[in-house]
Amino acid sequence: MSGGAVMDENFQAGLVAFAVDEDLETAARIFNQINSDSPRYAEAQYFLGHIAFQNEDFLTAENAYKNALSADN
């Protein structure tokens, strides 16, 4: 399996943890594993920002949203 396919599977697992299971801790752990070389990086950063915001960690949320906006993909 190619690295891109693994990253896509990780992203999908993060979405399931976030949206279906409502397990923010697991979702954050999965999204944090997606590096800036991945085409899913900006989306992962967006969700990390959303998770941090829900946890009232506003500085982390701001940084994640900035990473999402500045991603080159």
Side-chain angles (χ1 to χ4, degrees):
M1 185 177 303
S2 74
V6 170
M7 283 295 172
D8 200 45
E9 283 182 17
N10 284 346
F11 183 79
Q12 295 301 324
L15 283 180
V16 169
F18 178 82
V20 177
D21 301 335
E22 297 180 2
D23 182 352
L24 300 182
E25 185 178 325
T26 297
R29 182 179 45 78
I30 293 169
F31 289 135
N32 271 312
Q33 294 174 2
I34 298 174
N35 64 36
S36 61
D37 294 335
S38 170
R40 296 290 194 164
Y41 176 75
E43 291 170 291
Q45 290 298 304
Y46 168 80
F47 282 106
L48 286 169
H50 191 67
I51 291 166
F53 188 83
Q54 287 182 336
N55 288 325
E56 297 182 4
D57 183 354
F58 302 118
L59 182 58
T60 299
E62 179 183 17
N63 289 332
Y65 288 138
K66 285 180 180 179
N67 287 341
L69 290 171
S70 66
D72 188 28
N73 59 20

